[in-house]
């Protein structure tokens, strides 16, 4: 009995009353978020850029270049004062003088060449747009360069004074404009590019 008395558990001490009780269970309610639809990115499309230009045939380049000789030959008389004052300018156009002389020697050559270019090239649907546009530009440029000569016939030609000086300066400006248009158009046609002449390209485009 003494042994059983020793094996008895001692009474609870005062510190047992301060044992920590297990924490209460915390229940968290997570609110479900609404599903957000993420827009899918459009698939990239491979774009192939063609940098190659359509080559202009040599015959189209030749016809287009020859068309600009019409307004240039008709504007050579505007350079007579410049040729007299600057010999270098006369020497520059010396190779074209025989062609211009032969062109002037034919009666009504300017009118025949004008209508042949307009009716045979511009209004010819079998030719390419490149040829027809350049021919139309040459026709419009020829008409534009003929206007000062018509005004001179109406108002007369001054022989001296301020009027003569103004006419001489006007001839210089018209001839410089004609030469610049001729060289630019000729070089562009040889390279196969479409020239856009000032005061001419818009009017030529409307006629096609």
């Amino acid at each position: 009995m003494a042994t059983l008395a020793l094996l008895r558990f001692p009474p609870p001490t005062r510190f047992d009353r301060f044992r920590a009780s297990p924490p209460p269970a915390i229940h968290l309610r997570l609110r479900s978020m609404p599903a957000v639809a993420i827009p899918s990115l459009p698939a990239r499309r491979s774009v192939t850029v063609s940098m190659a230009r359509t080559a202009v045939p040599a015959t189209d380049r030749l016809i287009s270049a020859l068309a600009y000789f019409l307004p240039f030959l008709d504007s050579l008389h505007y350079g007579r004062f410049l040729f007299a004052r600057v010999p270098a300018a006369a020497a520059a156009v010396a190779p074209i003088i025989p062609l211009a002389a032969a062109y002037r020697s034919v009666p009504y050559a300017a009118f025949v060449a004008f209508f042949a270019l307009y009716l045979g090239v511009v209004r010819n649907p079998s030719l390419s747009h490149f040829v027809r546009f350049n021919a139309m530009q040459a026709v419009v440029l020829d008409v534009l360069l003929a206007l000062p000569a018509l005004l001179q016939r109406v108002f007369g030609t001054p022989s001296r004074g301020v009027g003569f000086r103004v006419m001489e300066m006007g001839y210089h400006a018209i001839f410089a404009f004609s030469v610049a248009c001729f060289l630019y158009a000729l070089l562009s046609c040889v390279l196969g590019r479409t020239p856009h002449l000032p005061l001419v390209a818009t009017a030529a485009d409307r006629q096609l």
Side-chain angles (χ1 to χ4, degrees), residues 51-68:
M51 300 300 293
R53 294 183 178 180
T54 304
V56 180
T59 53
D60 292 356
R61 301 184 189 185
L62 179 61
I63 297 174
S64 300
L66 291 177
Y68 289 101

Side-chain angles (χ1 to χ4, degrees), residues 99-161:
L99 177 62
Y103 175 72
R104 294 284 183 180
S105 63
V106 178
Y108 305 103
F111 293 98
V112 173
F114 179 86
F115 286 104
L117 187 62
Y118 181 75
L119 298 177
V121 180
V122 177
R123 295 304 177 186
N124 191 351
S126 62
L127 297 177
S128 64
H129 183 271
F130 180 82
V131 176
R132 295 170 60 221
F133 177 76
N134 284 285
M136 192 66 224
Q137 275 200 135
V139 168
V140 175
L141 181 61
D142 190 53
V143 173
L144 184 64
L145 293 174
L147 292 179
L150 294 177
L151 294 177
Q152 185 178 350
R153 290 183 180 181
V154 173
F155 296 102
T157 303
S159 58
R160 67 179 72 181

